[in-house]
Amino acid sequence: MTENKNELNINNMLFRMKEVEEKSGSSSMCIAKWMQSTVYLMNGTTHSCHHPAVHKIPLSEIKDNPSALHNTSFKRAQREKMLQGKRPSECQYCWQIEDLGGNHISDRVYKSTDEDWAYPYLEKVLKEKVGKNNIPSYLEVAFDSTCNMKCMYCTPEISTQWMEEVKKFGAYEGTTHRVGNLEWIKSQDRIPMLDTENNPYIKAFWQWWPDLYKELKTFRITGGEPLLSVNTWKVLDVIKANPRKDFSLAINTNLQVHPQILNRFINYYNEIAPNIKSFKVYTSAEAHGAQAEYIRFGMNYDSFLYNIKDFLKRTHANSQINLMITFNVLSLSTFDLFLKDILSIRREFNVNNGFNRLPMMINYLRWPEFQNVRVAPFDVKKKYIEKIKEYMLDNSSVRGCDEAGIFYLEEVDQVNRLELYMFSPMKSDDLKRQFKDFKVFYREYDKRKNISMKNLFPEYSALYEAES
Ligand code: SF4
């Protein structure tokens, strides 16, 4: 049944993609290049979609045209290539998959055929050509880098806490890419501006907003920690005053802000959510207890769980918290305990016909490479992934669990894919380099924060203590 449904979806998608390519006369056409955008206003960079590297937004371009926050001359040149049937090299992520042939489907196809924000816009995109004044249907924005946490896989560009630390202690010397290297960020002109009031990119955003809001389908706010940004509250105020029934709002939060701020957010949520199409809240974690706090430094695990429940308790029975899991090398040993907590919240709140109020999406961390789960020794991976799979299966519909609080088949599938990935082979030179980076980074991480990896992750003692 599921397979047939999947096949139907894939056939539908391929049929639509054929239409996109035929109508545009281009086999490299991708609607995401026009209709999906992420803009980092704190340092004036953008990309479409999220796969290509970010590029700088020239101040001269936004001077007379605030939509150049998205429609930079660089991006328009990539669109031009697509219209001519050429492949922009920044989209390598997709070309690699397409060149594998067989049944492999790239994100170009998934995204271009999305029935909400991409496919319905084909005619508009073709009419606009390179789209100097294009309004995207899906826009993600980071207003500033203010954050109260410094997760181990984050960067000084995105977190003020990280920035403070590297200003004090410098980069992580001895790691291959000098983690936290401010000179490199400076050389790319990507140091975030802290004075949000005088940030020309934020000014341009507000100039663009009246046109943008008329057409935008989905708007997602990321950070830093968005709930610490005055501009997030400004957006919420504007939407509260002028709600649109066909508009979706999404916000990322670490759920670790002061209770008064969270309280204010829940009040806004309750006022806005009934009047727009959807209001999604995303948060992140990938381990349990002290181990989670080690990974996401600044987090208090108990208050994190408390805040999830508090939000679900005080909002409508249709509200959700979407958990984004960036599974990494330090997730392995306590992930089953984290799953247990997820399940317990689902059992408490998923009472309405099995409607899942705490969905999760398991992705694996790719960068920095030495935090990638593939770095873990074979025995460690084997031991913990078996435990994780067993726990999920025991609590899934496969073993006849009730609908109110279970793991869903697609989640079991995500873990199966994670397992395949974590055991995929690596070149021995790469592995050697990552073992070295692992040791150098975590020894320094512990020193800077006065914490102990060895106590919390004894499974990696040999890696941590290895002589060079
Ligand atoms: S071709 Fe791929 S990488 Fe390029 S914009 Fe489309 S989905 Fe993103």
Side-chain angles (χ1 to χ4, degrees):
M1 181 72 185
T2 318
E3 255 175 34
N4 286 343
K5 208 174 146 206
N6 280 346
E7 260 172 45
L8 205 71
N9 286 342
I10 289 173
N11 285 340
N12 232 333
M13 219 161 60
L14 295 175
F15 182 78
R16 282 182 180 176
M17 196 62 214
K18 201 165 165 248
E19 189 192 338
V20 170
E21 293 188 351
E22 275 174 7
K23 284 196 173 162
S24 64
S26 162
S27 59
S28 62
M29 183 67 185
C30 176
I31 297 179
K33 192 65 78 201
W34 280 255
M35 301 314 289
Q36 186 178 50
S37 184
T38 303
V39 183
Y40 300 92
L41 295 163
M42 67 275 218
N43 62 6
T45 53
T46 181
H47 50 174
S48 289
C49 62
H50 62 283
H51 293 309
V54 295
H55 62 274
K56 193 77 188 174
I57 303 163
L59 279 173
S60 57
E61 293 184 17
I62 54 170
K63 214 165 150 234
D64 302 318
N65 177 13
S67 91
L69 286 172
H70 160 54
N71 304 306
T72 57
S73 49
F74 176 83
K75 213 181 276 183
R76 283 184 276 130
Q78 311 316 305
R79 292 175 186 160
E80 180 69 53
K81 284 182 200 159
M82 281 185 169
L83 290 171
Q84 291 171 0
K86 295 179 190 155
R87 289 173 157 194
S89 58
E90 65 161 11
C91 296
Q92 202 52 28
Y93 183 87
C94 284
W95 314 137
Q96 263 169 3
I97 294 172
E98 291 182 18
D99 290 344
L100 289 173
N103 294 330
H104 298 286
I105 296 175
S106 69
D107 261 14
R108 183 175 75 93
V109 179
Y110 281 108
K111 284 175 185 279
S112 293
T113 56
D114 183 284
E115 60 188 18
D116 188 38
W117 61 265
Y119 178 69
Y121 294 89
L122 174 63
E123 305 295 338
K124 166 184 144 95
V125 161
L126 294 178
K127 206 163 133 209
E128 284 183 359
K129 302 232 165 45
V130 294
K132 193 164 183 216
N133 301 306
N134 171 272
I135 303 241
S137 47
Y138 189 113
L139 178 66
E140 182 176 34
V141 149
F143 287 107
D144 60 70
S145 61
T146 305
C147 191
N148 50 340
M149 287 174 40
K150 42 183 168 184
C151 304
M152 69 177 190
Y153 43 68
C154 194
T155 74
E157 274 176 271
I158 296 179
S159 157
T160 41
Q161 291 286 316
W162 248 97
M163 180 61 93
E164 260 176 44
E165 191 180 286
V166 293
K167 276 188 175 162
K168 191 166 166 196
F169 297 107
Y172 282 73
E173 297 299 348
T175 53
T176 308
H177 297 286
R178 291 187 73 224
V179 174
N181 176 1
L182 283 187
E183 290 81 47
W184 183 81
I185 300 174
K186 240 179 247 167
S187 73
Q188 302 297 303
D189 200 5
R190 280 168 35 183
I191 295 280
M193 293 175 215
L194 296 180
D195 177 7
T196 48
E197 264 184 50
N198 292 308
N199 175 331
Y201 299 104
I202 294 181
K203 281 188 184 160
F205 171 83
W206 285 112
Q207 279 165 12
W208 191 25
W209 177 260
D211 289 337
L212 194 59
Y213 186 51
K214 274 184 222 148
E215 293 185 34
L216 207 51
K217 293 281 280 190
T218 300
F219 184 58
R220 182 161 173 167
I221 311 176
T222 182
E225 166 50 42
L227 295 186
L228 297 179
S229 167
V230 286
N231 284 286
T232 299
W233 298 100
K234 210 169 149 185
V235 167
L236 294 179
D237 276 330
V238 176
I239 294 169
K240 195 166 86 172
N242 307 285
R244 265 181 41 208
K245 275 289 179 199
D246 59 345
F247 174 74
S248 299
L249 180 63
I251 190 159
N252 297 352
T253 170
N254 58 30
L255 287 179
Q256 290 291 277
V257 292
H258 191 280
Q260 270 178 2
I261 301 180
L262 199 62
N263 192 39
R264 185 179 177 208
F265 176 66
I266 293 174
N267 290 339
Y268 268 75
Y269 181 92
N270 284 330
E271 286 186 70
I272 294 172
N275 300 318
I276 60 175
K277 187 175 173 190
S278 77
F279 192 167
K280 287 192 173 167
V281 179
Y282 291 85
T283 195
S284 307
E286 46 276 312
H288 174 268
Q291 284 76 5
E293 292 167 0
Y294 183 96
I295 297 170
R296 293 181 63 77
F297 194 83
M299 168 198 238
N300 176 311
Y301 184 76
D302 290 339
S303 93
F304 176 72
L305 293 188
Y306 176 88
N307 288 338
I308 291 179
K309 291 196 239 176
D310 191 40
F311 176 88
L312 294 176
K313 216 177 283 170
R314 292 170 53 200
T315 54
H316 192 271
N318 287 334
S319 75
Q320 291 176 314
I321 294 273
N322 295 270
L323 256 179
M324 296 181 295
I325 291 162
T326 311
F327 200 98
N328 60 74
V329 67
L330 302 189
S331 303
L332 274 165
S333 57
T334 61
F335 196 69
D336 60 326
L337 296 175
F338 181 45
L339 288 173
K340 209 168 169 185
D341 285 336
I342 294 174
L343 205 59
S344 135
I345 297 177
R346 285 185 178 177
R347 293 211 155 117
E348 188 178 343
F349 290 95
N350 292 1
V351 283
N352 281 348
N353 311 319
F355 173 69
N356 186 14
R357 299 189 69 194
L358 188 61
M360 65 172 176
M361 174 59 79
I362 305 174
N363 291 305
Y364 42 83
L365 177 139
R366 289 170 198 267
W367 191 261
E369 286 168 304
F370 59 86
Q371 294 177 12
N372 183 307
V373 65
R374 294 205 293 174
V375 171
F378 181 87
D379 293 351
V380 174
K381 288 191 271 204
K382 195 83 197 142
K383 175 176 164 191
Y384 292 115
I385 194 68
E386 291 301 336
K387 253 173 120 178
I388 293 166
K389 275 171 47 184
E390 192 57 28
Y391 184 73
M392 280 191 97
L393 277 174
D394 277 349
N395 293 285
S396 70
S397 54
V398 178
R399 304 245 168 110
C401 252
D402 69 315
E403 276 290 302
I406 57 162
F407 292 115
Y408 298 88
L409 283 183
E410 60 267 28
E411 293 170 338
V412 174
D413 192 46
Q414 285 169 21
V415 171
N416 288 337
R417 271 188 280 147
L418 175 72
E419 183 184 21
L420 276 180
Y421 172 73
M422 72 169 74
F423 288 107
S424 58
M426 282 173 80
K427 286 191 193 145
S428 72
D429 277 358
D430 289 347
L431 201 55
K432 231 163 119 189
R433 197 183 63 236
Q434 283 157 30
F435 284 163
K436 188 203 83 185
D437 285 354
F438 182 101
K439 183 182 70 184
V440 173
F441 178 83
Y442 286 116
R443 282 183 181 185
E444 180 65 20
Y445 187 80
D446 283 0
K447 230 190 279 166
R448 291 181 180 195
K449 298 176 172 70
N450 196 20
I451 47 180
S452 169
M453 160 172 259
K454 270 196 300 179
N455 290 346
L456 292 170
F457 303 94
E459 65 275 21
Y460 297 126
S461 290
L463 267 186
Y464 186 89
E465 282 168 351
E467 294 302 326
S468 306

